[in-house]
Every structure is written in C-alpha cells, then in structure tokens.
Amino acid sequence: MSGFRGFRRRRKRKNSGSDPVIPSSGEGLQVALHPELEKNRRVMKDLFERCDDVTFRPFRIGKEIEAEIVYIDNMADIEELNDHALAPLMKASLTRPEEIEGFFREELPIVSAKPVQTFEECVKHVASGDPVLFIDGWDRALNLGLQKWEKRGISEPEGEPVIRGSKEGFIESALSNTALLRRRIQSPQLKMEEMRLGRYTQTRVIVAYIEGIVNQGVLDEVKRRLERIDIDGVLESGYIEELIEDNPYSPFPQMNVTERVDTVAADLLSGRVAIITDGSPEVMTMPLNFPTLLQAAEDYYVRFTYATAVRWLRYLLFFFSLTAPSFYVATITFHPEAVPTEQLFNFAAAREKIPLPTIVEALLMEIAFEALREAGLRLPKIVGPAVSIVGALIIGEAAVTAGLVSAPVVIVVAITGIASFSIPRYALGFSMRVLRFPLLILSGSFGMVGFSLGLIALAVHLATLRSFGAPYLAPLAPFRPKELKDALWRSPWWKMNQRPRLSPNEYRQSSDQKPGPEQGGER
Amino acid sequence: MMRAGHLKGAGKKALCLLLIVSLPILPGCWDRKELNEIALIRAVGIDRTEDGQIEVTILQAIPVRAGTESGGGGGGQQQIILSARGITIPEAKAKLQEKMGRRIFTGHQEVVVLGKRLAKTGIREALDFFARFPGFRKDAFLFVSKGTPKEIFETVVPGESTATENLYKMVRLERAVDMTIMRVLQEMSGDAEATVIPMVMKVNDTTLALNGAAVFRGDKMVDHLDRKAEEGLLWIRNEFTSRIINTRLPGERGYVSLEVTKSEAELIPKIEEKKRRILLKVTAEDDVQFNGTRLSLYNPSNVDRVARAMERIVRDRLRWTVEKMQKKARADVLGFAGAFHREYPEEWDKMKDRWNEQVFPRLEVDIQVRVHIRRPGITDRPAGLPEER
C-alpha cells in the first residue's frame, strides 16, 4: 500500500516539475547562427539526426562561396527551388559574402525569402517545410519560404450541405482557410493573428476577428485562454475546444464549429472571434449562444417567411429529439390515465405480449438505433446501404413480430431519430443523443416527476452556462427583445439593422432599406 | 474500515457517483404500472342487493391485438364482466381484485352506472368513494340503470367495442343531461342539494336507450322524469342543444318542424313582501326544417305566426316541467336556489334549510319565451306547390 502511494507521489513530482528538454521544437535554441557554414551545418545535422527526409544540399554560389540548402522532401517546392534559387545563385558572380545581402534584394526572384538569425527559427522553418539556405561567411540564413505539399481541394462541406448558398468548405490547410475568409471579407479590418500551439506539432492557430466589430473582452479572453495551452500536440480543433471551454463538463457545445466559410464570415461580422486550426477543416467561432445551434446557414439565404417556418419546425423537432421516448415511457408506465382511452387500448394491445418493461423496450430500441447510426457512420460507404437494410428489418418489422418490442416504441424511436437529424449542428445532435438516455432512465424510474426534474435541471444548467462570458441562452435569458428577430423568427434582412449586443458596433446597415416602389420608409 | 476512511479524491468521487446513479434504480419503480399488468376498467356499476349489501360490477376491456385470432380485424376489445359483494364499496372492490390477476385500474373508466335500488336507498356512500379515491376518474359519466348495472354491461351493441362506450357516446351527443361525477358532487353539495342523473335502460339484447332522468333530493332518488320533462329541464338548465320541435298553426293544416339551434335561459328571482317569485326567460333561435303547411315562410307575417305558436308550445312544456318538479319531486334541480342565493344572499340564509320542502314548491314561476326564426330555409314557398300566396 505504502509502496504504491510512494510511487504515486514520485510520479506526481515528475509531472509537476519543470518542462523536460524539448529538442525538436527548437526552444532553447535561441542561439545566433555562426558565420562559419561548417559549424552551422553540424548543429543542423545534430538536430536533424536520423531524420532521413531532411535533405542537405551543398553547392557553391558563383563557384566561390560555400552554401547549403536544407529542406524536407515533398514539403518544398523543388521546381521553384531549382529555377529561382539554385540556378541564379550558382550563376551569380559573387565573390565575397558581404555582397550576398545586396544580391537577395536585387536579384533573387523569390517573394517569400526572408533572412533569419537563430537556430530556433531555422529549425522551425525547416520543420514546417520551408527550405533554408546557409551561406559560408554570413551569420544569417535565408528562409526561402517555398513550402509546398499535397492539399485537398476545396469541396462542399459534407456535414453542412445547403441548397442555396455557397458550396465552399474549409480544408485542412490553415493558410488556405484564411485566404477563403479573406476573399469573403476584403477589409484590412479583418485581422488574423497567428500563434503556434503544441510543443511537437507546432500547429499553426490563427485567431481571426474584425476590428471595430469584435467584442474586445471576448477577444482578449480567447487569446488568454489560447496562450495558457501547453500540450505536446494539437491535431484537431477539438483539442483546443476542450482546452478553452468555459464549462468542460457541460454536454453542450460552447463554441460554434463549422466547415462553412460563409457561416464563419457571418459570425465575424456579428462581432465574434474565429479560431482557425491548421490540420482541421473545422473553424470554431465564439461566443456561442444556444439559438444559433438551431440555425442553418441557409436560413439567411432563403426567403424569411420560409426560413421562419422552418426554424419553428426545427425548434419543435429539437424538443422531440430530446423528449419523445422519455415522454412516452413516463405516460405509458406511470400515467396511463392521461392517454386518450382508445389510443391507450391500442397501445395496450400492442404491448400485451411483450415481456419487457416499457423502459427496457425503449432503451433497447434507442441503443439499437444509436448502434445503427454509429455503424452507418464508420463503415465504408459501399457497405452503408447494407446496414440500413438490416437496420430497417430489425428495427421495423422483425423486432415487433418477434414480440421483443411493441410497435409504438418503434414509432417513437423513429420519430426521435428523424427529429435529431433535423438539428443543423452536429454538435448539438451529440448533446441530445447523450442527454436522451439519462432523461429516459429518470422518466422510467419516476414518471412525469422525473421527466420534469430532468428538464428543469437541464434548463437550469443552460441558464447558468456561459460561452466566453456571454450568456448561453441569450437573447431568451437574459431577455433581449431586439435580438429575438434572429432567434424566435428570422426577420427580413432590411429589418435586421442591429448586430447582437455582443458587438460594440451597433448598426450593421442603414435603416431605410425596405424595398418597394418608393424605396424605403419603414424602419 | 480503514480502506473506506482512506478513500480520497477520485475514489470518493466514484463512490458518490455510484450512489447517485443507483438512486433511481434501487427504489424499484414502485409506482410503475405496465400496461400488460393492469386491468383496464371501462365501466363500474354499483348496486344494492336485496339483503342490503353493495354489489360492485366492473366491465374490463381486454385489448386485442389487431390481426390475431380473436381480434376480428382492426384491434377490437373483448370484455369481461365481474361482480363482487361487500358491505362497503372498497370491500367489494377488494374482493373483485382477488378474482383477478391484474391490478384494477380505474384511470380510464368513462361510465359509472348506479343501480336503481341503490339510487332509491341513497348514493352518498358511492359518491364518497368516488370523491375520495384519487385513482377514480372524476369526469366519468354517471347513469342510473333501470335494472341492474350488470344487465346494462351485458348488452352487446353492434359496432361498439363495449356497451358502455355506446352510453358514453350517447350522452356526449348531448341528447340528455350529461352528468359527470364531478358535477354530481358539486350539485349535491350546492345550494339546492338536488341533482339529476340520466337513466338508462336495456331495450333488448343489442340496444340500450336513455330513459329520462332520475331526480335526486339529498342522496336519494325521488322521482323519474320522462324524456319530455327532461327536455324542459334542459331548457331551464341552459343545456339545451339542437332538437326538433313540431308546431301546428291555428287554422292551418300540417306541421312546421323547427330545429332549435340556440337557446338561452335566464332566471330572475324577486322577493316582494315575503312573496317569492322567479321569472324564467327563455330566448331561442330556430331554423325551419320542414314546412307541411301551405304558407310561404318568406312572408314575415307567416314566420311570425310560426314563432308565436312555437313560443306557446315551449311555454307549456316548461310550465309542465316546473310544476312537476315543484309538486311531485320537490327537488330544485332547475338552478332556482342558486339564483336566489346570488340575488338575495341575506334572505337566502333564512330559507336555505327549508328550500326543497317548503320554499321551492310554493315559488311562483313566471315564464317568458321568445323565439326567433333565423333561417326559413332555401326555398320560399312550400316545396312542390304552385306560387299563390
């Protein structure tokens, strides 16, 4: 026992101690480069020891000066390197290292070339794919900035398709993503601040916002939380999401995660902050409020009457997706007197030969449904249809015929499933899927009392939840009547004059834009 | 012991979580009633036997799955009728429960039938049970049966799953006074301490019929109103809904049939020098359904004649009902007591104790009827006659 404890203590001490040496990221290497090429080469060779993908290419500038290019295969643009770096350098008529700087300014046709001074920078650039040029007799190196690797093309975001609206989605490259955003918002007020996260991965993370519209408090908070992150790797935006959330135990998403360029642009324009993570096509925007989760991008592109109607339908279905099975179980097992008589007799007839309690029936079907969904998601696309056929057979017909579950439960689970698919944000769909089960067990144990308690607890949780300091349920609680125009319904664009209260910059457009024969008038 | 004391951090949290999670499971869902473990009762009958015991009869409906052997098509129901006797209703109910494998569930009983013998000896006991037991539906319709409740339940009405479903639908069509348990309880403890409950009788093995109403003074049935008197009652109690009334005009051959579409009764009590009077004002709107005379009903004076004749008929009918209640039943189920209570609260205190026996029977009742004929129909003259008048 004591030995075990001792072990634990020891381990703890180890963890809480100062950071171990991290060689690969180049930290602690803020050493200036040496003028002698040979020394520089040795340090670089040491650092990239056993990194066989790192290529050292020695050559001579103008047949006189020793030089060496360090780059990583397939991460550098070899053609550019050959044509615009190697070729002119070799042909240059330089004799003294002092002339080199002038040569770069006047004759080297590479726009991204930039001198660097420390080993730290060199390592960083080489590791990220930029070829770095070392020259004998010069105490600097030249970062040529010619990185290039295979990228996925820009395609339609599969998770959030629309009929009307842009079909552009973000990709895994952060710089492509910033370009996509920049193309949407062509203003110098759109700021992109870059930082690197992950000791080993050195992931490029970009904080984007529009100066003058963004809420400064939120922006500062986002940056502060990002700077606090100390982790060995950031492989996806999800890492960051979990590390900067307000309430890490809440089942609800606290930032909006989207692949859609237009959604992020719209969020930036309403005063939010976006975080772009290299290696992830998902861009996060914050703060998030709950109604946003039930709004699809398309809501703002189709006519407002239709958008409003669909939004209401979605609110209803959202409620269904959370409560339908629990409501059914609670009424059937605890309050059968509340069901219309004839309906109850039909339910009773369906349940007559079922040995399982209703709650078990419902849980069984819910689990089967979740299993199908999970299987359908993970399987290769070719096998997908097979799953749905098997699922339809099991859930639909056979389970009922075999007397395992009653038909009403199948209907309820099916409605729940369809309802949960109508939630436009996948993250909220996750929350509903997770919350459905505790609510189901509560309803199965305490009936309507448990059901109501569960919902009340949920409401309390939502009301206390904050996303980067902004109340999660706004504009419903705290009640902001002016913002209801984009929450309870979707007002036409000519009426949505004001940004959400979040932004210090109140008006987004002039107020007399109602179209009509006389052009304007109504506010 | 030591180990428990040494639980720290994560272990403690896990233990807490385990305890919380087991909380909903451990009590064992004591209140849970699975549908296949309860006996769904559609109707309850209560009667008094010859030896003074209480007999409780239940009509249990068994849901039958659509498509299976005995279902006979679209998910019907089979019914079981069971009876048990006891000194009190709960005792009889407990005895019934002994005969059944499923728990009696009265959350869906929609009809309660009281036997005539019980009605005559007093229904207080039954009402107390209804009012006290929370699992008993208060919006079930009450009936008094001419025979035993069992007889009513056993009648198989074609097209309906149970006999009582037919009854339930009959009163829901508002052809009669529809009295729920709740309303009876209210009226019995109200100003007049009197109420009416519709009566039902078995016509033959496949037919049930509503048969007027039983008048209760206190908890005992004191009179039986036939359909005609019941109709007058409905007019006065403001429960009247669409009904056909035939009128004959003086000096004309043939009938005019009117459908009463709307009617409103107003009670205006008056106390003048110790003399108590009440003015009963009825305003009705009628549609013409049939014209058997040779008069054109597009002629206002003819319409007027029909209306006046109609008024006379209604007035006579109301008079007859009121007198019957005053003289024979001596039970104020017309709502007069409430009207006096509202208008003269102080005087009411003095007369409330002898209302049914002395004041109500001697009340002078003035009746005013006003009939408006709103829609004479879409043909102006009697159909099939040449245009003359």
Side-chain angles (χ1 to χ4, degrees):
Chain A
M1 186 79 195
S2 66
F4 172 68
R5 275 222 235 137
F7 172 69
R8 250 196 6 198
R9 213 174 299 139
R10 216 175 307 136
R11 240 182 51 183
K12 215 172 190 173
R13 206 180 300 137
K14 219 174 180 179
N15 275 351
S16 61
S18 61
D19 296 332
V21 184
I22 312 154
S24 60
S25 70
E27 265 175 63
L29 280 169
Q30 280 149 338
V31 183
L33 291 166
H34 203 271
E36 242 176 86
L37 174 64
E38 187 49 39
K39 290 196 171 168
N40 288 341
R41 177 194 291 149
R42 208 177 309 136
V43 175
M44 290 306 280
K45 284 244 178 185
D46 275 354
L47 283 169
F48 288 106
E49 198 194 351
R50 276 171 283 140
C51 296
D52 293 342
D53 54 338
V54 179
T55 311
F56 289 77
R57 167 69 156 88
F59 67 101
R60 240 174 238 159
I61 301 178
K63 296 180 183 167
E64 291 283 331
I65 305 163
E66 289 287 332
E68 185 144 7
I69 287 185
V70 183
Y71 68 97
I72 297 177
D73 281 341
N74 284 319
M75 277 177 84
D77 191 341
I78 299 292
E79 269 173 48
E80 286 274 311
L81 202 55
N82 286 343
D83 296 353
H84 298 114
L86 219 48
L89 277 168
M90 284 173 164
K91 282 176 200 155
S93 54
L94 295 172
T95 46
R96 283 176 302 135
E98 293 83 67
E99 295 169 73
I100 286 167
E101 234 164 310
F103 176 81
F104 294 141
R105 203 155 297 141
E106 288 148 24
E107 285 176 64
L108 192 69
I110 297 177
V111 69
S112 50
K114 212 171 166 189
V116 289
Q117 295 180 339
T118 63
F119 278 109
E120 186 192 0
E121 285 173 278
C122 289
V123 168
K124 205 177 254 180
H125 288 304
V126 170
S128 70
D130 292 328
V132 175
L133 174 63
F134 294 89
I135 296 156
D136 193 30
W138 192 36
D139 61 348
R140 291 181 185 193
L142 193 68
N143 164 30
L144 295 171
L146 293 173
Q147 49 176 264
K148 187 192 179 186
W149 58 87
E150 295 305 315
K151 272 189 288 194
R152 183 166 65 97
I154 291 167
S155 62
E156 188 175 358
E158 277 180 21
E160 299 159 82
V162 291
I163 293 173
R164 179 165 179 181
S166 126
K167 313 277 190 292
E168 248 175 7
F170 287 119
I171 59 170
E172 283 76 4
S173 155
L175 291 180
S176 305
N177 293 349
T178 54
L180 283 171
L181 263 183
R182 187 65 78 176
R183 255 186 41 211
R184 292 285 176 145
I185 304 169
Q186 299 176 357
S187 158
Q189 301 291 92
L190 172 61
K191 307 294 180 194
M192 308 259 188
E193 292 184 28
E194 190 186 310
M195 56 172 84
R196 298 274 180 166
L197 290 180
R199 292 172 182 173
Y200 289 89
T201 59
Q202 287 294 307
T203 310
R204 198 195 292 260
V205 172
I206 295 160
V207 179
Y209 57 92
I210 299 178
E211 201 169 59
I213 295 179
V214 74
N215 182 315
Q216 195 61 40
V218 172
L219 177 63
D220 293 344
E221 184 62 31
V222 168
K223 284 196 215 159
R224 197 175 314 131
R225 289 186 194 183
L226 282 176
E227 276 156 15
R228 225 180 43 201
I229 292 178
D230 179 20
I231 190 172
D232 60 353
V234 174
L235 297 181
E236 224 282 343
S237 55
Y239 284 50
I240 299 177
E241 183 178 2
E242 284 199 10
L243 286 166
I244 63 174
E245 270 172 337
D246 288 59
N247 183 347
Y249 292 112
S250 170
F252 289 94
Q254 287 151 58
M255 48 205 90
N256 199 1
V257 178
T258 180
E259 277 182 74
R260 297 192 57 83
V261 183
D262 49 354
T263 303
V264 173
D267 275 354
L268 290 177
L269 283 171
S270 58
R272 295 192 168 91
V273 182
I275 297 179
I276 301 162
T277 316
D278 200 20
S280 161
E282 313 278 355
V283 172
M284 302 182 290
T285 62
M286 61 231 47
L288 167 69
N289 59 344
F290 185 73
T292 308
L293 289 168
L294 292 169
Q295 296 165 1
E298 208 171 356
D299 284 6
Y300 298 96
Y301 309 145
V302 296
R303 300 181 61 80
F304 72 95
T305 41
Y306 170 73
T308 301
V310 170
R311 218 171 249 194
W312 287 345
L313 178 71
R314 240 182 260 139
Y315 291 158
L316 185 76
L317 290 177
F318 156 73
F319 198 68
F320 269 14
S321 76
L322 177 65
T323 59
S326 357
F327 186 80
Y328 174 77
V329 168
T331 41
I332 287 295
T333 48
F334 286 86
H335 320 281
E337 64 273 5
V339 185
T341 307
E342 290 303 323
Q343 194 54 61
L344 186 81
F345 273 94
N346 290 336
F347 283 164
R351 254 204 71 76
E352 203 51 40
K353 296 281 183 287
I354 312 289
L356 301 169
T358 314
I359 170 76
V360 178
E361 251 187 288
L363 276 175
L364 207 69
M365 273 339 257
E366 279 294 341
I367 290 169
F369 177 73
E370 290 298 332
L372 273 176
R373 173 139 76 174
E374 192 61 20
L377 199 66
R378 302 289 159 228
L379 271 174
K381 286 214 166 64
I382 308 157
V383 201
V387 175
S388 46
I389 292 168
V390 173
L393 282 178
I394 293 176
I395 292 195
E397 192 55 39
V400 176
T401 319
L404 191 62
V405 291
S406 59
V409 170
V410 176
I411 297 169
V412 167
V413 170
I415 288 176
T416 314
I418 292 169
S420 68
F421 287 138
S422 74
I423 298 174
R425 308 272 173 212
Y426 205 59
L428 185 64
F430 276 138
S431 315
M432 292 303 100
R433 282 163 74 179
V434 170
L435 289 171
R436 197 146 63 217
F437 288 91
L439 196 62
L440 193 54
I441 290 170
L442 269 178
S443 304
S445 321
F446 302 109
M448 239 354 139
V449 179
F451 178 76
S452 322
L453 278 179
L455 286 189
I456 289 169
L458 213 57
V460 169
H461 171 69
L462 280 174
T464 48
L465 194 59
R466 274 161 185 274
S467 165
F468 291 85
Y472 200 58
L473 279 186
L476 305 171
F479 188 60
R480 292 173 188 161
K482 274 186 183 168
E483 288 174 39
L484 289 183
K485 61 179 182 259
D486 193 22
L488 277 193
W489 60 92
R490 206 280 271 174
S491 290
W493 270 111
W494 41 265
K495 273 206 167 189
M496 288 205 270
N497 298 327
Q498 284 158 308
R499 283 180 233 281
R501 184 174 315 167
L502 177 71
S503 167
N505 186 342
E506 198 177 347
Y507 291 99
R508 61 154 65 103
Q509 60 194 17
S510 63
S511 62
D512 53 352
Q513 300 197 72
K514 184 183 179 184
E518 284 128 46
Q519 286 289 321
E522 195 181 308
R523 252 196 76 159
Chain B
M1 187 69 201
M2 194 200 90
R3 276 186 194 166
H6 279 286
L7 273 175
K8 266 184 197 156
K12 209 175 213 169
K13 258 185 198 162
L15 187 71
C16 274
L17 200 70
L18 188 74
L19 287 176
I20 291 170
V21 166
S22 56
L23 199 65
I25 303 158
L26 286 178
C29 317
W30 74 98
D31 210 13
R32 201 189 59 172
K33 16 185 187 292
E34 290 296 340
L35 286 184
N36 40 9
E37 287 161 13
I38 54 177
L40 291 160
I41 307 300
R42 292 210 78 163
V44 176
I46 300 173
D47 203 359
R48 201 177 285 281
T49 58
E50 279 155 18
D51 54 1
Q53 277 190 316
I54 295 280
E55 185 177 63
V56 173
T57 310
I58 53 168
L59 180 104
Q60 180 196 350
I62 299 170
V64 178
R65 212 155 129 186
T68 50
E69 1 75 57
S70 39
Q77 294 160 27
Q78 291 177 320
Q79 60 177 49
I80 295 177
I81 296 162
L82 282 174
S83 302
R85 292 178 182 194
I87 296 165
T88 59
I89 297 173
E91 192 197 345
K93 190 190 154 200
K95 279 187 182 162
L96 265 178
Q97 185 67 77
E98 284 167 20
K99 299 181 192 173
M100 298 164 71
R102 297 182 176 204
R103 187 150 25 124
I104 293 178
F105 177 73
T106 46
H108 270 283
Q109 116 279 31
E110 50 208 6
V111 166
V112 174
V113 179
L114 305 170
K116 196 173 178 183
R117 204 194 314 260
L118 182 82
K120 290 226 157 119
T121 53
I123 58 171
R124 183 87 71 208
E125 254 180 69
L127 290 179
D128 183 83
F129 177 72
F130 299 157
R132 202 169 296 281
F133 179 46
F136 211 84
R137 220 178 163 101
K138 305 288 183 286
D139 62 353
F141 287 112
L142 263 180
F143 292 91
V144 173
S145 67
K146 206 172 168 194
T148 61
K150 203 171 184 170
E151 213 171 74
I152 304 289
F153 294 168
E154 276 164 357
T155 314
V156 177
V157 181
E160 301 289 354
S161 43
T162 58
T164 52
E165 199 185 328
N166 183 45
L167 270 184
Y168 174 78
K169 285 179 177 164
M170 270 152 97
V171 285
R172 283 266 296 256
L173 265 180
E174 300 182 54
R175 312 298 293 177
V177 276
D178 49 337
M179 298 299 284
T180 58
I181 291 176
M182 200 66 216
R183 255 187 97 187
V184 168
L185 286 170
Q186 278 167 352
E187 286 195 5
M188 293 276 269
S189 55
D191 290 327
E193 292 171 42
T195 190
V196 283
I197 297 176
M199 287 199 74
V200 59
M201 62 183 265
K202 178 179 173 177
V203 178
N204 56 42
D205 279 349
T206 55
T207 319
L208 289 174
L210 292 175
N211 177 29
V215 180
F216 285 77
R217 185 170 71 227
D219 72 329
K220 289 188 179 62
M221 175 177 167
V222 289
D223 195 13
H224 172 236
L225 295 181
D226 59 12
R227 292 294 280 163
K228 224 168 146 191
E230 189 195 2
E231 199 172 290
L233 193 73
L234 289 168
W235 281 98
I236 300 168
R237 281 165 65 109
N238 249 335
E239 288 165 26
F240 196 89
T241 52
S242 150
R243 184 162 294 184
I244 303 293
I245 290 172
N246 296 326
T247 318
R248 271 196 115 131
L249 300 186
E252 291 289 337
R253 280 183 23 198
Y255 284 98
V256 178
S257 289
L258 297 174
E259 185 189 18
V260 184
T261 52
K262 210 172 176 184
S263 113
E264 210 172 303
E266 203 184 341
L267 296 171
I268 304 163
K270 215 166 239 169
I271 300 182
E272 289 166 340
E273 300 156 19
K274 296 245 164 192
K275 223 173 151 127
R276 299 176 187 88
R277 315 169 63 89
I278 193 158
L279 173 62
L280 169 60
K281 259 172 133 170
V282 173
T283 317
E285 281 187 16
D286 297 2
D287 290 355
V288 176
Q289 287 259 336
F290 164 76
N291 180 11
T293 67
R294 298 180 71 90
L295 300 172
S296 162
L297 292 183
Y298 269 33
N299 181 343
S301 72
N302 288 342
V303 173
D304 218 43
R305 275 176 70 193
V306 177
R308 296 296 86 76
M310 172 76 181
E311 279 167 10
R312 223 165 25 246
I313 289 177
V314 175
R315 196 174 323 116
D316 291 348
R317 205 168 277 184
L318 294 183
R319 166 75 56 203
W320 186 72
T321 307
V322 170
E323 274 176 7
K324 196 164 151 63
M325 299 310 301
Q326 282 182 310
K327 301 282 143 41
K328 194 157 166 261
R330 296 187 169 206
D332 174 15
V333 293
L334 305 169
F336 290 0
F340 268 99
H341 189 171
R342 280 190 292 276
E343 196 73 26
Y344 299 101
E346 281 147 38
E347 282 86 347
W348 169 253
D349 277 347
K350 285 176 227 155
M351 58 188 170
K352 67 178 175 193
D353 294 333
R354 47 197 177 90
W355 176 261
N356 272 335
E357 279 73 21
Q358 292 170 26
V359 185
F360 173 67
R362 287 185 207 138
L363 210 59
E364 281 203 30
V365 183
D366 303 316
I367 301 177
Q368 277 181 16
V369 181
R370 188 96 194 115
V371 168
H372 304 283
I373 292 178
R374 294 290 183 216
R375 283 161 289 260
I378 53 171
T379 172
D380 58 344
R381 57 186 184 276
L385 287 181
E387 197 162 351
E388 284 168 29
R389 286 181 265 196

